[in-house]
């Protein structure tokens, strides 16, 4: 398994931007599909975005499409989530996750998870 550590969360006003980072340990990072999920208070954890091992394919939840961008740097063992035009409903704990499944957005397919980073968007 790969170990994941998220960073970059914080408090931002509506309309602002944040960039989340997820640093991974292990020499096989480039073989993993990486994903971002989030969990708002009182709600189930939900898919946000995913990127395949090469970065050639990206996937987004409809709620963030056009505002969030996922990317990865395999040389740095890091995946990013650039979040623009943030809304109060984006407030959640954001989790980075990894899977050996080549193409998936299903939470159950992701076997490695970070501890999460809090994103709070004020109105």
């Amino acid at each position: 398994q790969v170990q994941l550590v998220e960073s970059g969360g914080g408090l931002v006003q509506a309309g602002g931007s944040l960039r989340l980072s997820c640093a991974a340990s292990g020499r096989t990072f480039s073989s993993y599909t990486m994903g971002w999920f989030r969990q708002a208070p009182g709600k189930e954890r939900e898919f946000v975005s995913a990127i395949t091992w090469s970065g050639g394919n990206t996937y987004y939840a409809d709620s963030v499409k056009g505002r969030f961008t996922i990317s990865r740097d395999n040389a740095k063992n890091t995946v990013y989530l650039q979040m623009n035009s943030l809304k109060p409903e984006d407030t959640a704990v954001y989790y980075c996750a990894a899977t050996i499944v080549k193409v998936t957005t299903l939470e159950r397919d992701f076997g490695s998870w970070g501890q999460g980073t809090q994103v709070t968007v004020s109105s």
Side-chain angles (χ1 to χ4, degrees):
Q1 285 193 340
V2 63
Q3 306 300 314
L4 304 172
V5 179
E6 303 97 333
S7 61
L11 173 64
V12 65
Q13 288 189 330
S17 297
L18 282 175
R19 187 175 82 154
L20 305 183
S21 299
C22 173
S25 64
R27 292 175 290 178
T28 59
F29 173 76
S30 61
S31 63
Y32 286 89
T33 292
M34 300 299 297
W36 287 96
F37 292 77
R38 67 186 182 186
Q39 187 168 23
K43 294 188 176 182
E44 297 286 318
R45 188 158 57 186
E46 64 176 3
F47 168 76
V48 175
S49 184
I51 186 167
T52 53
W53 70 273
S54 66
N57 294 93
T58 57
Y59 307 88
Y60 298 94
D62 288 343
S63 59
V64 307
K65 204 169 293 183
R67 300 187 297 122
F68 291 10
T69 303
I70 191 171
S71 61
R72 66 190 296 163
D73 185 338
N74 287 341
K76 295 183 178 179
N77 281 13
T78 302
V79 62
Y80 305 97
L81 185 68
Q82 178 66 43
M83 306 186 295
N84 298 330
S85 302
L86 282 161
K87 305 175 181 180
E89 51 263 44
D90 294 318
T91 295
V93 177
Y94 283 71
Y95 297 90
C96 175
T99 178
I100 59 173
V101 176
K102 296 304 180 187
V103 178
T104 184
T105 62
L106 299 177
E107 181 177 345
R108 64 174 181 260
D109 288 336
F110 287 80
S112 298
W113 292 83
Q115 82 289 349
T117 186
Q118 177 70 48
V119 171
T120 303
V121 184
S122 63
S123 57

